[in-house]
Structures are given as C-alpha cells and as structure tokens.
Amino acid sequence: MSAAGVALMLGGAGILLAASPARAADVSYATECIPPAISGLPPVQGTTKVQITAPAEATVGDEIEVVWKTVEAASKNPDVLDLQKDTVKPTGTLKVAGAQTADLAMDGPRQNPPIPRNSPMVLPDMKAKLKLTAPGEITLTPGAYNINVSKPISTDTKCAPKEAVQPGATVKVAEAGGGSGGTTGGDTGGASTGGSSTGGSSTGGSSSGGASSGGSSSGGSDSGGSTGGSTSGGTTGGGGGQTDFEGKEVQVAYSCKTPIGDKEAVSPVRINAKKNGGDFDLTVKFSKSVMDSPADIPADSVKPSMEVALGGADKGFVHVEGPTNKEPIKAGDPIEIPDLTGTYKPGASGRSTLSPGVLTVEALGTTTTCTPPADVAVSLELDTSAQPGGASGGSASGSAGGGDASGGGLAETGAGDDGALRALALLAGTVILIGGAVFTFTPWGRLRGAR
C-alpha cells in the first residue's frame, strides 16, 4: 500500500498524522498592565504582540495543542534591578469562539534567561490542550495575561486588552469519521489592530517584580512631613529610688535614602529606661498602630535597629535593635512593630538626654538608613553616674549622614540568592521599621527620569 493510502486509512480512523499548523501571524493589541501594589506604580499602557499556533485542521474528538508565543510584552523590565534566571512565569486566557466556545487557560513554565534592567521582558511560551467538541471553524484569540516573579517575594503584574483583539489562529474542525477537507487555516490570525501604546515613554517598575513599564509620571512634590525636634526636653528621671522611666513620645521627621528613591517619614517614637545598677536597659517604642503588609514577607528577613543619640552631660550613641520577623507575613496581614532594646552605660555624671537617632533596616542582605533632623526632640532625661567604659564620646555604628543606602547590594541586583526583587523587600522592611509613619514617596516617574 502506498504512503498516501496509509495516510488516508489512518485519517479515516480519526488519527491525525502530523497535522500542519495554522500559519502564525503576529496579533498586536493595546494593553493595560497593573503593577503590584507594593511598587506604588500607576497602571501601565503598552502594546502586546502575540503569535498563536494550532493545527490548521482537526476532527471532532481530537485534543489539539495550542501555543501562545509572546513576541513582545506590553512592558520592559524597569531600570531598577535585574531579574534572575528562571524567576518569571506567565499565565493567560485564550478565547475560543465559533463552532465551540471556551476560555482556555494557558500556562507557561517558570523559565527565562537573566533579564537586565531596562530591557524587554522575555516570557516563555504558554501552552494548553483543547478538546474539540463540534464541527466547523473555531477561532483562537489572545486575551488577558499575568506575569509572576517569584523571588524573594511573589508579585504579579496583571495585563488586559484595552481594545477588541483579532483572532490569532483559525482551526477547521471536521465531523468525526469524515474528511477533514482540503483547506488550511490560512492566515486568519494575521490581521492586527496595531494597538499603539497610549502610555508614556518612561519605564515603570514592578516591583511586580520588573514586569511592567510605566507610563509618564506627572511628578509631584515631596511633602517632607513635619519636622521633628521642635518639642522641648523629654521626661527626666534617674534620681532617688526610681527604677523605671518612661520617655515622652516625640514626632521624628526621618529622611530615608534607598535605591528606589529618597523618602521622608514622620514617626512617633518613645524611649523608655529601666535602671540596672549603674546602667540603664533601654526600650525604644514606635507607635502602637498596626499596618497591613504590602507583600508576602519571608520569615527572618527584616531586622530594624537605631542609634539612640545622647546629649546633656553625656555624649555619643547607644545601639538598640529589634528582632527579625519570626514568621512569614502574608500580604494584607497586619504587621506589629517590634520594640528596639539595648543597654546604656553612662559615660558621664549629671543630667543626660536621650533622643531618637539614625534608624537602620536590614532586609535580605541589604541595608537602608533613615536620618533624623539635627534638632530632633529629646524623649528622655536621666540622672546618670559615669561607669567604666561608658558611652561618653562614643560614635554611632550607623552613619549619621545617612550612609550608602544601597547597602552594597540593592543597586547591584543578582548578588546573593534573592537579588531579583530586593528593592521590594527593602520597601517592605522600611514599612515595618517606620510603623505608623506617613510616607511621602517621590513619584516613580521622577526617579526614573523621562524616557
């Protein structure tokens, strides 16, 4: 029997031999992408370009494979950080219409090359199986899709069409047991609506984790918050038989430098002390307010500390620190602000003052620094007696000038195991540290500059 005869026999039995794919053509459509909330970015307007591949002809009862190839995502990876290898996973929805209707869930592997900052997103192909149930023509049209970035916290950028999308492929489905017909799917997917981008030219960031490019930013001014330090001296203690001393809550206007922009925050801080021989056990408390986590935060990933500033009779700084978060914190769950503790060994006799000093937060191997104003208010005054090896004249372990906010790591993403989204983790850590503070973020568009 000839090869043609074998093919006809198998075809009659409903078995497809290497069915030719529908001729693929790019489909472009205007798209709006919503970056993850933690990024603080506005919706992004862009253009998505897709190729849909499927068999040109098939038979009722067949299960065909459909492939979605993203030729061009509606975004670039922003110029903040590099995305590590195999951290990006796309999913999407394909519209099936015509003789058969369905929303076909498309899924791609978590597989990508390293994606440098300010470069096109590279997404793996998405695939799905479709069981054919009715004869006739069906069209396959790309629709909404999601880009997930996994490290060190999971973030999603959700993208959806902003116009009617043309079909990407057409499949001719024959009755089971009948001929499949002689025509191919042709290039019905070739029509493109163009979908020019309505977005601006600046690159946004995802914090999604780098999944979106931002539209133009209208800028905006930093409010800077109210200044700390206008209040008069704090609570006085230390004399007589008293052992517990509660400081006054003072409003501190912090200036924080981070790789994702300068930020300012006003936070209420109180310094308490407990006399322990000639020393004092210090506890620094932030507002008792609780805020929701902006993203999933891994356990033991964020640690705050402060250099309490001494004045009056004594000089120098006292290091206090808080514990790391023992449990993972889910996005939307409340965050309790930990107390910072340490021991003050006086270096001078007389009346010494304690004021909030430089705040530091370490997150996933990175460091950022928040500096109070020079005239920050005094929270607590103590009557002190000089102790051997006391604090007088000591220096802060943190940089009073704010230090290098990059911590040697944030701007150089990719270093360490969790470099891809350290800026997001740092932002989450800063939120934990400041607690009840009100941030006035510098607009992202101004941080990036016009593109």
Side-chain angles (χ1 to χ4, degrees):
M1 181 180 293
S2 67
V6 172
L8 289 173
M9 180 181 71
L10 294 176
I15 301 174
L16 290 177
L17 289 178
S20 61
R23 187 166 56 192
D26 292 352
V27 176
S28 298
Y29 54 97
T31 307
E32 180 178 70
C33 295
I34 308 298
I38 190 174
S39 71
L41 292 171
V44 175
Q45 311 300 324
T47 301
T48 300
K49 186 180 293 185
V50 173
Q51 277 186 4
I52 302 299
T53 304
E57 299 176 349
T59 301
V60 172
D62 289 346
E63 186 177 68
I64 63 172
E65 181 179 69
V66 182
V67 179
W68 171 325
K69 180 179 181 63
T70 303
V71 178
E72 180 181 316
S75 62
K76 287 185 176 181
N77 182 30
D79 61 353
V80 176
L81 44 86
D82 302 327
L83 296 182
Q84 296 179 25
K85 183 176 184 293
D86 298 340
T87 57
V88 178
K89 176 182 173 64
T91 53
T93 301
L94 194 79
K95 294 287 185 180
V96 181
Q100 179 178 341
T101 59
D103 286 338
L104 187 62
M106 307 295 294
D107 187 80
R110 193 173 297 282
Q111 183 178 4
N112 61 279
I115 304 176
R117 287 168 282 183
N118 199 28
S119 63
M121 289 296 296
V122 181
L123 303 180
D125 293 350
M126 295 184 282
K127 298 181 180 181
K129 299 287 187 179
L130 176 63
K131 182 79 169 181
L132 302 177
T133 60
E137 283 193 350
I138 60 171
T139 58
L140 306 173
T141 304
Y145 60 97
N146 183 80
I147 303 173
N148 175 265
V149 177
S150 61
K151 288 186 176 182
I153 53 177
S154 179
T155 56
D156 293 287
T157 294
K158 301 181 183 297
C159 301
K162 295 299 290 181
E163 63 179 345
V165 184
Q166 295 297 311
T170 299
V171 181
K172 292 188 176 182
V173 184
E175 290 277 10
S180 61
T183 61
T184 65
D187 58 356
T188 57
S192 170
T193 59
S196 60
S197 172
T198 59
S201 58
S202 66
T203 300
S206 155
S207 117
S208 118
S212 58
S213 66
S216 61
S217 172
S218 60
S221 61
D222 299 330
S223 65
S226 61
T227 60
S230 59
T231 313
S232 60
T235 304
T236 303
Q242 184 179 357
T243 58
D244 294 313
F245 308 96
E246 184 176 62
K248 181 179 65 177
E249 185 175 274
V250 295
Q251 302 292 322
V252 184
Y254 286 109
S255 296
C256 301
K257 290 186 177 297
T258 82
I260 53 176
D262 292 353
K263 309 183 188 308
E264 297 186 353
V266 178
S267 182
V269 181
R270 184 192 304 273
I271 302 174
N272 297 333
K274 181 179 180 66
K275 191 171 178 62
N276 183 3
D279 300 341
F280 294 88
D281 295 329
L282 301 185
T283 301
V284 178
K285 292 181 174 289
F286 293 88
S287 169
K288 288 298 184 182
S289 64
V290 175
M291 68 176 302
D292 293 340
S293 173
D296 290 345
I297 301 174
D300 297 321
S301 60
V302 179
K303 183 177 181 64
S305 63
M306 175 192 283
E307 306 302 318
V308 175
L310 302 175
D314 210 350
K315 304 298 179 186
F317 300 88
V318 180
H319 180 77
V320 294
E321 62 184 38
T324 59
N325 54 308
K326 293 183 179 179
E327 302 292 335
I329 304 172
K330 294 292 185 182
D333 286 354
I335 300 173
E336 295 182 1
I337 311 307
D339 292 342
L340 311 183
T341 59
T343 300
Y344 167 38
K345 184 183 292 293
S349 298
R351 179 167 292 182
S352 302
T353 63
L354 290 81
S355 303
V358 174
L359 293 173
T360 301
V361 61
E362 297 177 353
L364 295 171
T366 65
T367 304
T368 195
T369 308
C370 298
T371 306
D375 61 346
V376 63
V378 170
S379 176
L380 181 64
E381 292 186 10
L382 296 172
D383 291 329
T384 59
S385 299
Q387 303 296 309
S392 189
S395 62
S397 62
S399 169
D404 180 0
S406 70
L410 271 174
E412 300 172 6
T413 55
D417 292 338
D418 296 314
L421 284 180
R422 285 184 175 180
L424 297 183
L426 175 61
L427 177 57
T430 304
V431 169
I432 292 175
L433 177 61
I434 300 304
V438 179
F439 279 100
T440 54
F441 291 106
T442 302
W444 281 72
R446 290 175 55 195
L447 299 180
R448 302 292 180 273
R451 294 290 183 268

